[in-house]
Amino acid sequence: MKFDEIELNEQKFASTIGVEINSLTDECKSLLKQYNLKYRHLDKEEFEEALLCIFQGMQTRLHLKSGRDRKFYWDAGWKSNLDSYKDIKNAENLKPGYFRYEKYVRYDGTYVKPLSSEFVFKFLKILQAQFYVDRLKNIDNVFELGCGSGHNIASLSEFFPNKNFIGLDWSIEAINIVNLLNENIEANISGQIFDFFTPHKNDFEVPPNSAFITTGAFEQMGTDCEKIIQFTLDKKPDIVINLEPIREFYDPNNLSDFVALNYHDERNYLNGYYTKLLSLEKKGALEIEFAKKINFGGHCHDGWSTIIWRPL
């Protein structure tokens, strides 16, 4: 038996990300309408096939541990995006290569069948159009830590053409992309080398009315997150928005979360970040304004759970 298709409408999306429907931004609602994302639940055979695909795919990736030794991988990936963007100068060429076709995705604590193309990438863009647009509207300077291919800054510059965007990354190829964006987009965009593992080494000025944002970038730090947290506390941006896989948010008693948790640990993704923030909040060093497990991601894990906080 095939289940009926479900539309990712405003009510469904608001419930998924933990906000009231009347707080959705116009940009978010516009993308929901434009993308018209649809999916359906799986029958028994599809569910078993999904699990098999997931476990087979995981086996091919488990040797790829995140951390300092992976810099060469990101250099190569962002170089590929840079070369593509140079040729065509189309923002679509900035989409990272890890956004691949996925027959099944994670949603609402289980696996579903996406019925729209680029379902995962488009969901992320809608998510950003909510949290970034809502929380950055009164910010002047946006620092993206781990700017990668530049696709996030390119999107945000369309929403906020008058803000200053600073792309920070340990890869020179990522910085080259950001600088090329500055030449081709009518926005104030700049880039600077920055390493999460040694943040104070590549210091920079953070003016008043600034924000730090990350999208699936901190996941590469594993357990080595204390230095970047301290750096952020020292710099005191007005707001920090993290869209990241948060280990503490998984429920090990849920099958799909249990699978994702094991994948998360095997890949050495971000571990202990939220726990450290909670500890520092109790000490009065920061305030967590919003923390939510976003029950959505590619078939292996939830990539963009959301934490919004600010140093005190």
Side-chain angles (χ1 to χ4, degrees):
M1 181 186 76
K2 299 298 183 187
F3 291 92
D4 293 336
E5 67 180 33
I6 302 171
E7 179 187 352
L8 187 64
N9 57 26
E10 293 180 12
Q11 183 62 61
K12 184 68 176 174
F13 186 74
S15 176
T16 298
I17 67 173
V19 303
E20 297 295 328
I21 189 171
N22 59 9
S23 71
L24 293 179
T25 66
D26 290 340
E27 293 82 356
C28 172
K29 291 187 286 187
S30 176
L31 285 184
L32 279 167
K33 183 177 181 180
Q34 175 186 334
Y35 292 154
N36 190 29
L37 297 183
K38 296 179 180 179
Y39 66 94
R40 65 170 171 79
H41 290 290
L42 310 182
D43 61 27
K44 181 178 180 294
E45 290 184 359
E46 289 175 320
F47 186 80
E48 292 177 351
E49 181 188 19
L51 282 177
L52 181 60
C53 289
I54 290 160
F55 284 126
Q56 288 176 335
M58 286 170 60
Q59 288 301 313
T60 65
R61 299 190 187 107
L62 291 183
H63 68 287
L64 303 174
K65 309 289 185 182
S66 67
R68 300 169 185 262
D69 296 337
R70 292 277 288 160
K71 182 177 180 296
F72 76 95
Y73 172 86
W74 299 110
D75 283 336
W78 305 146
K79 177 66 162 56
S80 177
N81 283 113
L82 175 63
D83 291 342
S84 296
Y85 185 71
K86 276 182 178 178
D87 291 340
I88 304 178
K89 294 183 175 56
N90 188 319
E92 292 183 3
N93 294 89
L94 299 176
K95 185 174 74 171
Y98 51 73
F99 284 102
R100 295 174 288 270
Y101 166 75
E102 292 185 339
K103 190 174 183 179
Y104 304 107
V105 300
R106 296 168 49 80
Y107 192 48
D108 274 352
T110 187
Y111 305 105
V112 301
K113 170 71 173 176
L115 302 176
S116 306
S117 64
E118 298 185 307
F119 196 95
V120 175
F121 186 68
K122 289 176 179 177
F123 184 100
L124 171 60
K125 290 303 171 186
I126 299 170
L127 185 69
Q128 292 176 328
Q130 175 58 32
F131 286 122
Y132 285 163
V133 170
D134 181 50
R135 298 297 186 124
L136 299 178
K137 56 191 174 192
N138 296 318
I139 292 293
D140 294 328
N141 313 288
V142 180
F143 292 80
E144 184 183 11
L145 283 65
C147 59
S149 71
H151 72 102
N152 298 315
I153 288 179
S155 297
L156 284 171
S157 67
E158 293 184 7
F159 298 137
F160 301 119
N162 296 320
K163 295 189 187 300
N164 301 315
F165 293 98
I166 303 92
L168 305 166
D169 204 284
W170 65 351
S171 170
I172 187 60
E173 305 298 348
I175 303 309
N176 289 337
I177 292 174
V178 170
N179 290 332
L180 188 58
L181 280 173
N182 187 54
E183 297 176 11
N184 297 318
I185 296 177
E186 292 184 6
N188 186 12
I189 302 171
S190 61
Q192 179 177 321
I193 289 291
F194 182 75
D195 189 338
F196 297 158
F197 298 105
T198 56
H200 289 87
K201 181 179 179 181
N202 304 110
D203 206 356
F204 54 87
E205 189 71 24
V206 177
N209 212 26
S210 294
F212 283 6
I213 66 171
T214 72
T215 300
F218 277 7
E219 72 175 21
Q220 296 297 313
M221 289 191 294
T223 60
D224 196 1
C225 57
E226 291 198 12
K227 292 179 182 177
I228 194 67
I229 293 175
Q230 186 57 55
F231 179 85
T232 305
L233 293 175
D234 293 343
K235 291 300 180 181
K236 291 191 179 302
D238 293 75
I239 192 169
V240 181
I241 307 175
N242 301 129
L243 307 184
E244 300 285 346
I246 304 299
R247 189 188 189 281
E248 294 93 326
F249 288 176
Y250 288 116
D251 177 5
N253 295 312
N254 172 275
L255 175 61
S256 64
D257 271 14
F258 180 81
V259 173
L261 185 58
N262 279 271
Y263 177 78
H264 186 109
D265 288 345
E266 288 291 340
R267 291 296 304 273
N268 191 38
Y269 284 157
L270 187 63
N271 188 349
Y273 182 75
Y274 184 56
T275 299
K276 181 64 176 177
L277 293 183
L278 288 173
S279 174
L280 289 167
E281 184 177 44
K282 289 182 180 179
K283 296 177 182 178
L286 58 88
E287 178 186 3
I288 299 174
E289 298 183 357
F290 183 88
K292 177 74 167 65
K293 180 182 189 293
I294 306 298
N295 283 303
F296 178 85
H299 61 253
C300 286
H301 72 143
D302 295 336
W304 308 296
S305 286
T306 303
I307 303 175
I308 302 174
W309 60 281
R310 63 185 181 90
L312 296 177

